[in-house]
């Protein structure tokens, strides 16, 4: 079994009791926060190494580093081969700052997008605009409902009920 599958089986185990999963995630989120604090303190540094080396560098187990890599992968400039990686796979943590911030907002990780290190990266206006942009991206705007006797929105000139409304 690959590292990623092992991580996902444990992290998203539907058979585990709720208390066990809550403890698991609470511990993981604290570790994750520590890694992000270090990464965001020097956001332009290109961090690279094997999964095992990075786990040692950030004080995580290979299992926990796998979870971290799974979470950050969508925010990386160049995604890692997380599906096939093992502990000797070389990975990088070079992230796109804006994408990472928006992804943290998207998953409602306020303990991450409110880290003080972000204040050194973005000014308050930029943070607010990125936050709002991400929140609005999930909002579905429903247009005005077309009545059956209204002109068809396709532009045919016919009534909706005789055109696209059939």
């Amino acid at each position: 079994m690959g590292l990623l599958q092992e991580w996902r089986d444990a992290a998203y185990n539907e058979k585990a009791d709720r208390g066990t999963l809550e403890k698991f995630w609470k511990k993981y989120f604290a570790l994750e926060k520590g890694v992000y604090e270090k990464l965001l303190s020097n956001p332009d540094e290109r961090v690279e190494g094997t999964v095992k080396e990075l786990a040692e560098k950030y004080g995580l187990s290979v299992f926990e580093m796998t979870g971290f890599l799974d979470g950050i992968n969508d925010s990386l400039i160049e995604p890692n081969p997380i599906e096939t990686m093992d502990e000797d796979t070389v990975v990088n943590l070079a992230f796109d700052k804006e994408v990472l911030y928006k992804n943290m907002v998207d998953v409602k990780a306020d303990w991450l997008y409110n880290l003080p290190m972000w204040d050194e990266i973005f000014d308050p206006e930029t943070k607010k605009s990125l936050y709002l942009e991400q929140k609005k991206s999930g909002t579905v705007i429903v247009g005005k409902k077309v009545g059956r006797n209204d002109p068809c929105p396709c532009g045919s000139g016919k009534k909706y009920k005789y055109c696209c409304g059939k």
Side-chain angles (χ1 to χ4, degrees):
M1 180 185 321
L3 288 176
L4 184 65
Q5 191 58 48
E6 187 181 325
W7 163 260
R8 288 181 176 169
D9 286 350
Y12 306 108
N13 184 352
E14 294 177 8
K15 295 174 186 153
D17 73 280
R18 186 179 175 116
T20 305
L21 274 178
E22 282 179 13
K23 283 181 192 171
F24 172 87
W25 282 107
K26 186 175 182 178
K27 179 184 175 208
Y28 173 75
F29 289 150
L31 294 170
E32 179 187 43
K33 182 179 177 183
V35 176
Y36 276 118
E37 286 171 341
K38 292 174 186 169
L39 281 175
L40 294 172
S41 294
N42 193 357
D44 297 319
E45 176 188 7
R46 182 166 171 82
V47 179
E48 194 172 77
T50 65
V51 175
K52 189 175 183 178
E53 291 168 349
L54 292 180
E56 289 170 5
K57 177 177 180 169
Y58 293 106
L60 304 175
S61 67
V62 170
F63 177 73
E64 293 159 342
M65 180 50 79
T66 301
F68 183 81
L69 290 167
D70 185 24
I72 197 173
N73 208 47
D74 291 340
S75 305
L76 299 177
I77 295 167
E78 192 178 305
N80 291 313
I82 60 170
E83 299 289 337
T84 59
M85 73 183 174
D86 60 32
E87 65 181 29
D88 297 320
T89 304
V90 176
V91 293
N92 79 84
L93 298 178
F95 57 90
D96 180 311
K97 296 175 199 88
E98 289 186 6
V99 172
L100 179 61
Y101 188 82
K102 287 182 189 179
N103 286 342
M104 288 175 172
V105 170
D106 187 40
V107 296
K108 299 174 179 67
D110 58 339
W111 65 95
L112 296 176
Y113 68 76
N114 285 327
L115 285 170
M117 293 82 187
W118 283 112
D119 297 336
E120 301 297 317
I121 299 169
F122 299 126
D123 60 65
E125 290 173 20
T126 305
K127 281 176 34 180
K128 184 177 180 180
S129 113
L130 290 171
Y131 180 89
L132 291 174
E133 186 180 326
Q134 181 57 43
K135 287 294 187 186
K136 286 180 184 175
S137 73
T139 305
V140 177
I141 299 172
V142 179
K144 181 181 163 254
K145 186 175 177 185
V146 180
R148 55 189 306 264
N149 289 316
D150 291 340
C152 191
C154 78
S156 66
K158 297 179 183 177
K159 285 186 177 183
Y160 179 69
K161 66 182 177 186
Y162 294 123
C163 190
C164 295
K166 285 187 176 181

